[in-house]
Amino acid sequence: MSLPQITSPFTFQNTYAALGESFAVPTLPTPVAAPHWLAFNAPLSAELGVNMTVAVQEALLPALAGNALLAGSTPVAQAYAGHQFGHFNPQLGDGRAILLGEIITPQGLRKDIQLKGAGMTPFSRSGDGRAALGPVVREYLLSEAMHALGIKTTRALAAVVTGQPVYRETPLPGAILTRVASSHIRIGTFEYFARRGEITQVKRLSDHVIARHYRECAKAQAPYKALFEAVMAAQIDLVARWMQVGFIHGVMNTDNMSIAGETIDYGPCAFMDSYDPATQYSAIDVRGRYAFGHQKSILQWNLARFAECLLRLIDEDVDVSVAYAEQALAGFSEQFDAVYFGLMAKKIGLQSRAVAEPIVIALLALLETLHIDYTLAFRQLGQVLLMGTNEPFLQLLNDHSQTGQPEQQQEVIAWLERWKSALAEQGDSVDASADGNTAANAALVQGMQQVNPAIIPRNHQVEAVITEAVAVQQNMTASTPACYPKFEALRHALQTPYDSVHESSDLAQPPTRAEQRSYKTFCGT
Ligand code: AMP
Ligand code: MG
């Protein structure tokens, strides 16, 4: 089979494909019936160095649908393994994703361009290599929201509707996402080679990763120890930031953990509404292995699997390597907490982690028992300072929790006073009405609101967008161009998550109906 070749707005390099067929198997996309755009991300294409005029964008459609090949690309499916829900699977790989190649951005950054849902590959096993429209819309919205929140992630360059159905429980419209990532190398990529005992390939992969993501490790005395530590630091930073904004990845299998420390593989993921560490939305995660509050310990478990892959590179004597890995992982918890509580301290305007930690823990306990919305709670703390009254926070008890008893109000007021005393002790004015010092408060609140989003992609809103997109496809006629007003509105709002303009928007509000709260998502297949 061959595909027509078209001029590419990107200049491709193919360094991963060049590692050889044990890493990446040449695989062409499978053409689709009647591709049309759902979304195109013009700001991202500009970041990638391409000025996407309407004509260039239109010319790109067949290539992003898998109906044509961009000149210079060497499409491949990447091999990887992985621990899924704790069990090792020696062969996963890109079952429905095809890497077109890498490009270098004007800032000199190397980025993968990948099609997700572009047809069967040698790794498809029993799957069809396709993606349904719903999961593509979710990944588009959530990954772009994550980026706007300032958290490392793969990006969405485009979503194309294929014009042909995929068959899940029912026939659904099919779609293809064009994904941009620093790389698609996962912990599972290391496991693929390490578990087969292919130490030469583990070394080649490690050297590729060091050259690509962690150049400083090449200069270290022990480069592979440095690599382990760099990946651990990157993933700690990532997961701590997820938790800071209430994100649950939902399927933290080792094949879904990017070595570059980006959020990858948006499947049954979601942002939490009311705070509860046991929250998980994945229909397949019956035991809650990947619940919100388990993400720290799962990360440590995943990093232990990564360390196992590097043992034979770290030292010739594996016992020495094991001792090193144990010692490095023993420091994990403290390292994670330092990052996490550092971030949480900022959310409540405190400079000292030590002062903030018990105050944050007490707040989270209150949010949990009172079922208070996580995002709104932190945002309203800013309002408390700006308005010089506890009212904006206390209102959450009436509006968004199923409780609101007087004794619980007292507990909340006691916490607010404790928090304000801590602010006062660090020299911040907290009582705008008493001393009229609103300017000092404004600066403090501004700092807080830069890490407390006013809007997140809430599940019920994302679902409404998907329902609309599916309905548009099902009712589409040749004469009416498709448009997706809900998608456009939510996508637009999520570009500026910290802007106070969203505080009064319906899109920012928590779910009100019980069925919206008992939300479940299914793996993005
Ligand atoms: P995920 O749960 O999306 O991270 O995928 C886990 C594994 O299943 C990966 O190897 C995927 O490539 C593969 N996979 C998921 N969906 C499909 C599909 N529709 N067709 C083929 N392979 C798939
Ligand atoms: Mg995956």
Side-chain angles (χ1 to χ4, degrees):
M1 192 185 72
S2 69
L3 288 174
Q5 226 185 59
I6 60 170
T7 316
S8 175
F10 306 111
T11 305
F12 282 108
Q13 297 188 359
N14 303 288
T15 63
Y16 199 80
L19 289 172
E21 287 204 18
S22 57
F23 289 82
V25 184
T27 307
L28 288 177
T30 307
V32 296
H36 49 279
W37 293 112
L38 181 109
F40 187 81
N41 191 340
L44 175 58
S45 78
E47 279 177 48
L48 298 177
V50 179
N51 177 15
M52 227 27 107
T53 61
V54 174
V56 176
Q57 192 190 316
E58 280 315 311
L60 203 54
L61 179 63
L64 300 191
N67 290 7
L69 205 57
L70 291 171
S73 97
T74 305
V76 289
Q78 289 171 277
Y80 56 83
H83 277 86
Q84 299 181 300
F85 294 92
H87 301 287
F88 186 64
N89 187 332
Q91 179 142 338
L92 292 164
D94 286 338
R96 55 164 167 172
I98 294 179
L99 174 65
L100 297 181
E102 304 136 30
I103 60 166
I104 308 294
T105 70
Q107 288 80 38
L109 302 172
R110 182 175 297 272
K111 299 284 179 191
D112 274 3
I113 311 279
Q114 190 205 60
L115 302 183
K116 186 170 174 183
M120 284 177 47
T121 78
F123 303 106
S124 293
R125 294 172 290 156
S126 56
D128 59 1
R130 294 295 182 189
L133 177 61
V136 167
V137 168
R138 290 186 98 245
E139 176 154 353
Y140 194 112
L141 287 172
L142 268 77
S143 64
E144 286 304 301
M146 192 67 88
H147 172 72
L149 286 164
I151 300 175
K152 284 189 178 176
T153 176
T154 62
R155 306 279 311 268
L157 179 63
V160 170
V161 185
T162 60
Q164 65 190 46
V166 294
Y167 298 93
R168 298 296 179 254
E169 269 117 46
T170 53
L172 295 167
I176 299 174
L177 184 81
T178 305
R179 185 157 75 171
V180 177
S182 291
S183 81
H184 285 85
I185 303 167
R186 306 138 191 274
I187 290 182
T189 318
F190 281 80
E191 291 178 291
Y192 180 80
F193 296 108
R195 290 268 176 153
R196 294 156 167 242
E198 294 178 358
I199 187 66
T200 315
Q201 305 294 56
V202 178
K203 184 171 182 312
R204 288 184 68 207
L205 181 63
S206 303
D207 293 341
H208 176 89
V209 164
I210 288 174
R212 189 162 175 174
H213 300 301
Y214 300 105
R215 268 189 219 160
E216 65 287 357
C217 295
K219 294 182 224 118
Q221 229 174 15
Y224 303 112
K225 284 184 186 170
L227 173 63
F228 176 73
E229 286 158 28
V231 170
M232 176 154 118
Q235 294 196 346
I236 283 177
D237 192 72
L238 179 71
V239 176
R241 282 173 200 274
W242 288 350
M243 295 184 69
Q244 178 206 353
V245 295
F247 179 73
I248 307 160
H249 182 283
V251 60
M252 282 175 72
N253 292 333
T254 55
D255 53 302
N256 291 333
M257 297 303 292
S258 147
I259 282 296
E262 291 179 340
T263 316
I264 194 170
D265 282 7
Y266 290 78
C269 59
F271 284 76
M272 184 168 52
D273 292 307
S274 64
Y275 180 78
D276 182 349
T279 309
Q280 62 92 9
Y281 295 100
S282 167
I284 56 168
D285 188 7
V286 278
R287 297 207 185 139
R289 178 180 169 92
Y290 298 133
F292 179 80
H294 292 165
Q295 296 186 113
K296 171 185 165 186
S297 58
I298 287 293
L299 174 60
Q300 185 175 22
W301 193 90
N302 288 344
L303 285 165
R305 305 290 76 75
F306 180 49
E308 284 165 7
C309 298
L310 297 180
L311 290 179
R312 289 174 61 192
L313 295 184
I314 286 172
D315 198 284
E316 279 169 16
D317 182 343
V318 169
D319 290 341
V320 173
S321 300
V322 168
Y324 160 77
E326 280 174 356
Q327 172 241 320
L329 285 162
F332 169 88
S333 189
E334 177 49 34
Q335 207 176 320
F336 186 95
D337 287 352
V339 178
Y340 172 73
F341 283 110
L343 293 166
M344 297 304 286
K346 286 206 183 95
K347 283 173 84 77
I348 59 170
L350 289 171
Q351 286 147 19
S352 152
R353 172 206 155 174
V355 173
E357 186 169 331
I359 301 178
V360 166
I361 290 171
L363 174 61
L364 294 178
L366 273 180
L367 299 186
E368 184 182 348
T369 30
L370 302 180
H371 308 285
I372 294 176
D373 186 82
Y374 182 75
T375 303
L376 285 190
F378 285 95
R379 193 76 191 180
Q380 289 302 80
L381 291 179
Q383 295 301 321
V384 166
L385 295 180
L386 284 183
M387 293 167 66
T389 151
N390 290 336
E391 224 20 67
F393 196 91
L394 294 178
Q395 220 173 5
L396 293 174
L397 293 181
N398 305 323
D399 291 354
H400 300 298
S401 76
Q402 290 107 33
T403 48
Q405 306 302 316
E407 61 274 20
Q408 285 157 342
Q409 269 217 7
Q410 285 318 309
E411 259 187 88
V412 171
I413 291 169
W415 182 87
L416 288 165
E417 296 311 322
R418 177 184 176 193
W419 165 59
K420 285 189 268 185
S421 309
L423 285 172
E425 264 172 49
Q426 76 177 11
D428 280 301
S429 158
V430 288
D431 192 355
S433 54
D435 63 8
N437 194 4
T438 48
N441 270 357
L444 172 66
V445 173
Q446 203 185 16
M448 288 167 59
Q449 304 307 51
Q450 279 165 7
V451 289
N452 290 327
I455 185 167
I456 48 159
R458 293 191 185 267
N459 305 319
H460 64 293
Q461 296 294 356
V462 174
E463 282 309 301
V465 168
I466 291 172
T467 304
E468 176 191 70
V470 171
V472 167
Q473 288 311 307
Q474 283 164 348
N475 302 325
M476 205 164 68
T477 62
S479 55
T480 48
C483 65
Y484 307 91
K486 287 193 171 155
F487 175 79
E488 290 305 334
L490 191 57
R491 158 161 94 148
H492 184 257
L494 292 169
Q495 283 170 359
T496 54
Y498 299 106
D499 194 320
S500 58
V501 71
H502 304 297
E503 280 165 6
S504 53
S505 159
D506 278 352
L507 292 177
Q509 303 314 311
T512 47
R513 297 201 306 275
E515 74 270 19
Q516 293 174 327
R517 285 198 216 102
S518 61
Y519 177 80
K520 278 274 169 265
T521 97
F522 296 84
C523 223
T525 50

